[in-house]
Amino acid sequence: MIGQLHSIVIDAPDAHALACFYAEVLGMEVKGSPGDDWVVVTGAGYRIAFQQAPDLQAPEWPDPDHPQQFHLDIRVADVEEAEPKVLALGARRLPGGGGDFRVYADPVGHPFCLVWDAV
């Protein structure tokens, strides 16, 4: 082993706003303030960092000319309960999905999946 994962870093036009979205979805704590160039969410042994990228070109699922850049799989116990909650926070449902996942976009346009029964 050369090292250990410290952070997953996600670009956003408003780092604090996107950090707050994911903190609410994942039940994590935001460390940073509006206007900060670098905001971190932590909890349950995980750390996700968000950095200010005012010229971010949002992905367009599933258009390969606007690639997804990254995505998170978020495990949920009940997708029918979880979906309205992420939609209320500003996510939107995207085409695609399968028997154990659904695809969404966060408020900036990054795809993420709600997964259940995942191994």
Side-chain angles (χ1 to χ4, degrees), residues 6-44:
H6 178 62
S7 295
I8 296 169
V9 181
I10 301 171
D11 288 353
D14 182 336
H16 186 263
L18 193 58
C20 288
F21 170 82
Y22 278 107
E24 186 70 25
V25 169
L26 299 170
M28 298 170 78
E29 179 183 345
V30 176
K31 296 183 179 181
S33 300
D36 287 353
D37 288 337
W38 183 265
V39 180
V40 175
V41 297
T42 60

Side-chain angles (χ1 to χ4, degrees), residues 34-98:
D36 287 353
D37 288 337
W38 183 265
V39 180
V40 175
V41 297
T42 60
Y46 301 101
R47 172 186 159 103
I48 305 171
F50 299 84
Q51 66 182 359
Q52 200 70 17
D55 297 325
L56 177 73
Q57 300 235 343
E60 294 180 21
W61 178 267
D63 182 356
D65 291 331
H66 299 91
Q68 63 179 322
Q69 303 164 6
F70 84 96
H71 81 269
L72 299 176
D73 286 342
I74 300 170
R75 184 189 308 266
V76 297
D78 182 345
V79 73
E80 300 303 334
E81 182 180 322
E83 180 176 82
K85 292 177 181 178
V86 298
L87 295 176
L89 290 170
R92 69 181 191 284
R93 181 95 185 258
L94 296 176

